[in-house]
Amino acid sequence: MRKTMIRSAVRAVALAALLLAGREVSAQKLGPQRQFLSIDAFYDRLQLDAGEGRSRVGIDGFGARLWINAAPFAGPSAFLGKTAVGLYFSRNPRKDAGLGAAQYGGELYVFPTERPYGGIIDPFVSLGVGALRINNRQGSFSSDARADIADGNTTHFALSPGAGVRLPVFSRVQLRFDGRDAIVFSRQGIASGTKRTSHSLDFQGGFGIEF
């Protein structure tokens, strides 16, 4: 009985050591100050393209992001070792003006540097693929500015290239600032009746908890 307990204890210790060793190896693959997974919350300022020749409409909002470091799955690929993939969602309500928006989709992030500059400045470029949903409710919004925004809810496929910077402030906490361009191809102009490519600039700032 005692021998069985001893063998079981030895196996448990060996299994724990193996798991910890594997975890350590995986951590080394991630690169300095880039953890495996991060959950972000951020403030979002969308500059919505309201039509050709018209000023963009600024709408405040909030969002969340989940991103996973691809380095543990990269194998010998140096490029994949500097990438991450993620899912994002943002909502920009503007009840007083009757205009709102939401964005959701997936993103690819590329970190060009081996490690953050000075240990705290970590630049990246990104490419998002998803949807831009515009909610044009009746309100006090001027008719001229919304002339090329359809009434009701419309959802558009959007390609969103961008760039930003991570600032790892603690071992598990990061600050993050992004700038993106939500590009909608062949968007139907309500006033002009013609299709055009629209550019809605998007600025984000927030923090993330890393695991």
Side-chain angles (χ1 to χ4, degrees):
M1 182 67 176
R2 178 178 294 182
K3 290 182 179 180
T4 301
M5 293 179 62
I6 292 175
R7 281 197 296 266
S8 299
V10 170
R11 289 172 182 169
V13 171
L15 178 61
L18 181 62
L19 292 174
L20 290 174
R23 185 175 180 181
E24 183 67 23
V25 169
S26 296
Q28 291 174 0
K29 290 181 181 179
L30 299 182
Q33 298 184 352
R34 295 187 190 127
Q35 301 297 330
F36 174 65
L37 179 147
S38 178
I39 300 175
D40 302 347
F42 55 86
Y43 160 79
D44 187 271
R45 175 70 173 182
L46 178 64
Q47 298 287 339
L48 185 64
D49 189 331
E52 191 171 8
R54 295 175 173 83
S55 299
R56 290 185 173 88
V57 181
I59 312 176
D60 296 315
F62 54 89
R65 177 187 295 106
L66 169 69
W67 68 265
I68 298 174
N69 197 323
F73 316 103
S77 173
F79 172 76
L80 291 180
K82 297 181 179 181
T83 64
V85 293
L87 300 173
Y88 67 91
F89 172 80
S90 63
R91 184 168 180 265
N92 304 76
R94 188 172 177 173
K95 298 178 181 178
D96 59 331
L99 184 68
Q103 296 184 78
Y104 51 89
E107 281 185 307
L108 172 68
Y109 316 104
V110 179
F111 299 89
T113 62
E114 182 66 26
R115 65 179 64 238
Y117 292 113
I120 58 172
I121 301 175
D122 199 13
F124 62 88
V125 293
S126 64
L127 179 63
V129 178
L132 170 62
R133 181 178 176 86
I134 302 174
N135 183 2
N136 186 11
R137 302 179 300 274
Q138 296 298 319
S140 59
F141 203 55
S142 69
S143 59
D144 177 68
R146 70 174 183 180
D148 267 2
I149 300 178
D151 291 334
N153 296 323
T154 55
T155 302
H156 310 274
F157 170 79
L159 190 68
S160 302
V165 62
R166 287 176 64 253
L167 303 173
V169 292
F170 300 111
S171 61
R172 300 291 180 180
V173 179
Q174 63 163 348
L175 298 178
R176 174 172 167 150
F177 302 93
D178 291 62
R180 308 190 309 161
D181 180 8
I183 304 173
V184 175
F185 301 96
S186 300
R187 180 172 152 186
Q188 182 71 46
I190 304 305
S192 62
T194 61
K195 293 184 178 181
R196 54 182 290 270
T197 299
S198 69
H199 298 266
S200 297
L201 303 181
D202 197 17
F203 302 97
Q204 302 171 353
F207 69 97
I209 305 297
E210 299 183 331
F211 301 93

